[in-house]
């Protein structure tokens, strides 16, 4: 960590060039004797990244230090970190086993009494300690070292252990629990010796059912999305819990989080009616589909599925609270008819449970992307291929 980067002159340069191409800055001559061009580029890239992911930090105009790109890749966004902090009991103690850039620890500290941040890379731990101090956080203790080793040599007990295992090992992305670092499956007994509650952040691509089979005492699973983009999976384990896990599809926005909760027994037993497209078409948020609430969401909102595997829904009257996009249906035509009578040159295209991919449909029918019209290419309950033409209904306070 080069402390000269924190000087007022260097900080002014970094903010002045925040909209510049960091890679070009790295190739230019540095105007500072003790700060190299690659170091300036690293700080500018970091400021750009954190401005998007954690704008709260940038708005405070503090002299922050940003680590290498890799350390910023896996760090949480403000939205997901705030939600995780909301799951903590007030005035609790938290052990952040794999602290990284410290975004989660920062938001934990807003609610917890004390947070212990462990980071195996000494320089990154030093950076986190500086940034938290600059941001006025005084209830986070930073420890440079292996979090697992720290626990193994400690008698401390915490209200929560938070784990964000690295999903990049030897420069390769990994998705299986046993391939992450640390291998959390190997240390479950150790973790539960030091806390009754574990909170683990995992990759959006992880198979939820597989993780439930591998991890003991899972009480809750949170699938978090922002603007229909799945960001994180969160597994909450309680030492004494033996029941059926609750699954929560969480849509984060500037407003209050919107949560749809169910369990897999309810999903298995749900039997929604099947229907052709009627007046309104519903396309669920990615948090709903990743969570696996394919039938539960239909029965909960009193709407019908178009096909067992299409995961599109319909209703005659508007269900404005549906967790996803809603379209007013203008026209429904068989795909065979659509092929013969095409007069649409521009539209947003979605293909669900359909033999052609979106790019194939665009190429085949020469339809450009964009505009206000939506074309859903899908299969109905009797396996007929259909095209649904609709206009999106944008609700108040709903992210576009």
């Amino acid at each position: 960590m080069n402390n000269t980067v924190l000087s007022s002159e260097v900080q002014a340069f970094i903010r002045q060039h925040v909209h510049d191409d960091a890679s070009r800055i790295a190739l230019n001559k540095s105007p500072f004797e003790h700060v190299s061009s690659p170091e300036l580029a690293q700080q500018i890239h970091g400021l750009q990244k954190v401005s998007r992911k954690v704008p709260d930090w940038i708005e405070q105009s503090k002299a922050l230090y940003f680590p290498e790109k890799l350390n910023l890749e896996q760090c949480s966004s403000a939205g997901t970190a705030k939600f995780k902090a909301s799951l903590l009991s007030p005035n609790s103690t938290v052990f952040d086993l794999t602290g990284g850039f410290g975004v989660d620890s920062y938001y934990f500290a807003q609610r917890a009494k004390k947070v212990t941040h462990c980071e195996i890379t000494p320089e990154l731990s030093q950076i986190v300690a500086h940034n938290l101090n600059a941001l006025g956080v005084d209830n986070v203790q930073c420890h440079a070292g292996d979090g697992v080793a720290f626990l193994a040599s400690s008698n401390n007990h915490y209200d929560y252990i938070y784990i964000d295992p690295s999903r990049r090992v030897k420069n390769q992305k990994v998705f299986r629990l046993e391939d992450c670092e640390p291998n959390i499956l190997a240390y479950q007994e150790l973790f539960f010796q030091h806390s009754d509650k574990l909170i683990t952040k995992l990759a959006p691509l992880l198979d939820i059912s597989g993780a439930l089979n591998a991890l003991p005492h899972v009480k809750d699973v949170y699938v978090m999305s922002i603007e229909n983009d799945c960001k994180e999976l969160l597994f909450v384990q309680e030492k004494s819990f033996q029941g059926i896990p609750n699954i929560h599809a969480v849509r984060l926005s500037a407003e209050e989080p919107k949560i749809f909760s169910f369990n897999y027994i309810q999903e298995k037993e749900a039997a929604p009616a099947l229907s052709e497209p009627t007046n309104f078409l519903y396309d669920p948020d990615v948090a709903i589909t990743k969570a696996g609430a394919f039938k539960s969401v239909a029965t909960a909102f009193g709407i019908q599925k178009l096909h067992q595997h299409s995961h599109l829904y319909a209703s005659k009257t508007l269900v404005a609270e549906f967790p996803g996009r809603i379209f007013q249906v203008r026209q429904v035509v068989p795909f065979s008819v659509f092929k013969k009578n095409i007069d649409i040159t521009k539209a947003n295209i979605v293909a669900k449970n359909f033999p052609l991919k979106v790019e194939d449909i665009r190429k085949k029918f020469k339809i450009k992307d964009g505009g206000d019209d939506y074309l859903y290419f899908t299969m109905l309950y009797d396996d007929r291929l259909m095209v649904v033409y609709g206009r999106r209904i944008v609700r108040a306070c709903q992210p576009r």
Side-chain angles (χ1 to χ4, degrees), residues 165-306:
S166 175
R167 296 180 290 278
R168 185 178 287 276
V169 179
K170 296 179 181 178
N171 293 321
Q172 296 289 326
K173 284 190 175 182
V174 297
F175 303 101
R176 298 192 310 165
L177 288 177
E178 56 268 36
D179 294 334
C180 296
E181 291 186 351
N183 175 2
I184 62 172
L185 299 182
Y187 297 108
Q188 291 292 298
E189 183 178 351
L190 173 66
F191 296 157
F192 278 121
Q193 287 174 1
H194 293 272
S195 180
D196 292 341
K197 295 182 180 179
L198 313 180
I199 302 176
T200 304
K201 168 187 170 182
L202 296 170
L205 292 178
L206 181 85
D207 176 60
I208 295 176
S209 297
L212 287 174
N213 289 331
L215 292 172
H217 311 305
V218 177
K219 184 178 181 181
D220 295 279
V221 178
Y222 295 88
V223 182
M224 289 182 278
S225 72
I226 298 177
E227 295 184 351
N228 204 28
D229 182 14
C230 191
K231 295 297 184 181
E232 294 180 12
L233 303 182
L234 206 65
F235 285 71
V236 179
Q237 299 165 261
E238 286 194 13
K239 191 173 184 178
S240 59
F241 184 77
Q242 298 292 342
I244 301 168
N246 291 310
I247 315 297
H248 311 277
V250 183
R251 294 173 295 141
L252 300 173
S253 67
E255 308 296 326
E256 288 293 315
K258 295 178 175 59
I259 304 175
F260 178 80
S261 301
F262 70 107
N263 63 53
Y264 287 140
I265 298 297
Q266 293 170 335
E267 173 64 19
K268 183 178 180 180
E269 294 177 351
L274 299 175
S275 168
E276 296 193 9
T278 48
N279 295 336
F280 298 97
L281 180 74
Y282 303 88
D283 187 354
D285 185 89
V286 67
I288 297 290
T289 54
K290 176 62 184 180
F294 306 121
K295 297 188 293 182
S296 301
V297 74
T299 55
F301 289 93
I303 55 181
Q304 298 79 48
K305 281 179 69 70
L306 300 191

